[in-house]
Amino acid sequence: YAIVFTAAGDDVMPAAVLGVRPAQNLYLSADAKWQAKYVPAFVRRYPFVFSASADAKTLTLCIDESHPGLNRDGRGQRLFDADGKPAPYVEQVLKFLQEYQAHFERTRAFGKRLKQHNLLEPMQAQVTTPKGDKLLLGGFMAVPREKLRALAPEALAELAKTDELELLYLHLYSMRNF
C-alpha cells in the first residue's frame, strides 16, 4: 500500500491508498474478497466497532446488525452463552478491539507530533492507467525527505525513541507503491 496522511479536524492520521478514483478499491475483488496479503485491522474488525461516550471515557462494543454474517438462527459463533454472558468469541473480539483502540490512540499521538514538527506537506500524485488515461489524486499529505533531514537532532531523537522515525521511513518507502 502507499501510505499517506489525511487531516480530519485536529487529527492527522495515516491512510492506505486503495484506489485512484472515487469509491474505488483496487484491493477488493468483484465478490468483495480482500486481494492483498495484509488485511488492515480496520477491515478485520468489521462488523464490530467501539463507540465512545460523550466524555470519551467509556467504550461500548457495537455490531453492524445488517452484516450478512450476523444471524439469529444459531449458525456460526455465539455472542453470548446460556447465562447471557459474553461468549469466548466475544472475549476475543473485545481483546482485538482493545488492542486496536490502543494502536489508534498511539497513531493519533503520532499525527500530533507530525504536526508539531511541521513535517507534513500537501501532495498530489499523477497516475497513468494501463489505457494511458492520466489521473490526478490529491487531498492528502506526505512527509518530504528534505523536511525529515532538516529536523532538529532533539526531535529526531524523540522520534527514534518512540519508533516513530521508523514509521516515517516506512511511509517514505511506501510511496513507491503508487
Side-chain angles (χ1 to χ4, degrees), residues 24-174:
Q24 179 185 49
N25 184 337
L26 296 171
Y27 294 94
L28 201 59
S29 68
D31 61 345
K33 300 277 189 249
W34 201 263
Q35 300 182 108
K37 290 179 184 176
Y38 174 75
V39 180
F42 184 84
V43 175
R44 291 192 317 263
R45 70 183 180 153
Y46 185 78
F48 299 97
V49 67
F50 273 144
S51 175
S53 61
D55 63 3
K57 291 182 180 181
T58 304
L59 296 174
T60 303
L61 180 63
C62 300
I63 187 168
D64 178 357
E65 291 188 26
S66 68
H67 177 59
L70 183 69
N71 69 82
R72 289 172 170 63
D73 303 326
R75 292 178 284 119
Q77 297 284 336
R78 293 184 58 89
L79 299 180
F80 301 98
D81 64 18
D83 297 328
K85 294 183 179 160
Y89 174 69
V90 171
E91 295 296 339
Q92 290 175 327
V93 167
L94 279 169
K95 182 178 180 201
F96 178 77
L97 285 178
Q98 287 164 343
E99 290 173 7
Y100 177 90
Q101 191 67 28
H103 287 289
F104 177 80
E105 293 304 329
R106 183 172 182 232
T107 302
R108 180 182 275 161
F110 173 54
K112 287 184 188 328
R113 255 184 299 290
L114 295 181
K115 282 176 67 174
Q116 170 192 343
H117 294 305
N118 196 29
L119 285 172
L120 296 163
E121 283 188 359
M123 183 184 168
Q124 291 183 334
Q126 184 175 3
V127 179
T128 304
T129 68
K131 293 181 181 178
D133 297 331
K134 293 194 184 300
L135 303 171
L136 192 62
L137 183 64
F140 61 92
M141 297 171 288
V143 176
R145 286 184 184 272
E146 301 76 36
K147 280 195 170 192
L148 193 54
R149 282 189 204 110
L151 206 54
E154 303 80 29
L156 279 171
E158 172 195 348
L159 291 170
K161 278 184 191 173
T162 59
D163 292 331
E164 292 171 337
L165 185 58
E166 181 180 3
L167 296 177
L168 287 171
Y169 280 112
L170 288 169
H171 153 68
L172 291 169
Y173 189 78
S174 83

